[in-house]
């Protein structure tokens, strides 16, 4: 078996054993995860680990999230084919690539310029044309593209930023880890009701790198 076939077989097994078997049901999401080559979003030395059940290190001391967590967040965001999506914390660009297969358009924001550059290069090379990667502080969202039908935040903040609530369309869903900078965090989903109120659901315990920015944590020695 050549390397491409072997990686494709690993990707199918990842979806069957880590995603489908754990209860992710959205057929479009399962299809997108079968299709998006996660091994293209990590360093060459990590390609063979790309379909393991774990987060992996990327540049700038950041991480590409565990595949199951990406699936859990995207399913919870209930992304449909006409939706406009904002991802805060683009990192490698992998989750944006998966989201782009479900949505009409994805804006992704990343604070590390080097990661922005790499994510843009990968997404363009692989043909993910409906994703724009922006550099900057996503804790204040991306007002130019608002309102969003779904907002997915891939870094943990002390609370859901007001700016992100404001950029959610009526009926929109926001999924984000909230809690300690380096410890116990809960994955929460907010739904903006048509009367403007927010309904919150706790989706369980998670562990994410910190959201560093004006409406997140301040940058410091543990700025990972
Ligand atoms: N979803 C990403 C992927 O598929 O590779 C993984 C994201 S990683 C867990 C979290 C990312 O959030 C890091 O790349 C980090 O630099 C970024 N980040 C943290 N605070 C941010 C902020 N205020 N604005 C934009 N990006 C931020």
């Amino acid at each position: 078996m050549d390397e491409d076939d072997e990686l494709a077989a690993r990707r199918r097994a990842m979806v069957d054993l880590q995603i489908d078997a754990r209860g992710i049901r959205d057929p479009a999401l399962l299809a997108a995860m079968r299709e998006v080559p996660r091994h293209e979003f990590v360093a060459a030395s990590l390609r063979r680990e790309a379909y393991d059940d774990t987060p992996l290190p990327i540049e700038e001391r950041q991480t590409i999230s565990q595949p199951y967590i990406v699936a859990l967040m995207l399913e919870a965001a209930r992304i449909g084919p006409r939706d406009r999506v904002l991802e805060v914390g683009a990192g490698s660009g992998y989750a944006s690539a998966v989201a782009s297969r479900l949505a009409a358009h994805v804006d992704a924001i990343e604070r590390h310029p080097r990661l922005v550059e790499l994510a843009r290069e990968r997404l363009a090379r692989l043909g993910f044309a409906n994703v724009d990667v922006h550099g900057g502080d996503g804790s204040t969202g991306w007002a130019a593209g608002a309102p969003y039908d779904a907002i997915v935040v891939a870094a943990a903040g002390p609370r859901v930023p007001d700016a992100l609530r404001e950029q959610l369309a009526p009926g929109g869903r926001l999924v984000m880890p909230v809690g300690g900078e380096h410890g116990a965090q809960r994955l929460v989903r907010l739904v903006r009701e048509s009367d403007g109120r927010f309904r919150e659901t706790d989706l369980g315990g998670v562990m994410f790198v910190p959201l560093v920015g004006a409406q997140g944590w301040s940058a410091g020695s543990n700025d990972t």
Side-chain angles (χ1 to χ4, degrees):
M1 204 190 281
D2 73 11
E3 195 197 18
D4 280 350
D5 289 343
E6 190 184 332
L7 290 168
R10 287 183 189 217
R11 185 160 65 250
R12 286 193 296 274
M14 171 193 87
V15 176
D16 291 348
L17 302 176
Q18 301 170 33
I19 312 293
D20 192 348
R22 288 193 179 126
I24 300 294
R25 288 288 165 260
D26 178 353
L29 174 57
L30 294 170
M33 294 195 74
R34 284 197 175 94
E35 184 196 340
V36 177
R38 193 170 189 259
H39 63 273
E40 297 283 1
F41 292 82
V42 297
S45 59
L46 292 174
R47 280 165 79 88
R48 297 179 64 78
E49 290 159 58
Y51 300 105
D52 291 356
D53 190 13
T54 180
L56 290 170
I58 59 172
E59 299 78 6
E60 303 290 355
R61 296 165 64 220
Q62 301 302 315
T63 53
I64 177 173
S65 304
Q66 180 189 6
Y68 172 66
I69 293 293
V70 172
L72 181 69
M73 293 179 79
L74 294 179
E75 185 167 71
R78 295 186 197 131
I79 298 169
R82 298 166 63 145
D83 285 355
R84 294 182 51 78
V85 175
L86 174 66
E87 192 199 12
V88 176
S92 68
Y94 172 71
S96 297
V98 177
S100 80
R101 286 292 184 254
L102 310 173
H105 187 266
V106 178
D107 281 315
I109 314 183
E110 171 54 53
R111 66 184 286 268
H112 286 291
R114 176 84 183 121
L115 296 181
V116 172
E117 198 182 304
L118 286 167
R120 276 186 188 148
E121 179 278 318
R122 284 182 188 119
L123 290 163
R125 176 168 47 82
L126 297 168
F128 294 96
N130 59 338
V131 187
D132 288 323
V133 184
H134 310 282
D137 174 11
S139 75
T140 56
W142 188 254
Y148 290 100
D149 303 293
I151 299 178
V152 177
V153 185
R159 65 191 68 81
V160 176
D162 288 342
L164 297 185
R165 291 176 185 257
E166 285 159 15
Q167 290 175 27
L168 208 51
R173 294 78 55 200
L174 177 149
V175 179
M176 172 176 174
V178 173
E181 194 172 358
H182 299 290
Q185 301 158 358
R186 310 294 302 176
L187 190 64
V188 302
R189 176 177 56 208
L190 290 189
V191 179
R192 185 173 193 163
E193 307 284 11
S194 48
D195 63 5
R197 282 192 293 193
F198 291 89
R199 182 162 43 89
E200 182 170 329
T201 311
D202 184 331
L203 303 174
V206 285
M207 195 151 52
F208 274 82
V209 297
L211 179 74
V212 176
Q215 295 193 29
W217 302 101
S218 49
S221 56
N222 283 326
D223 171 17
T224 55

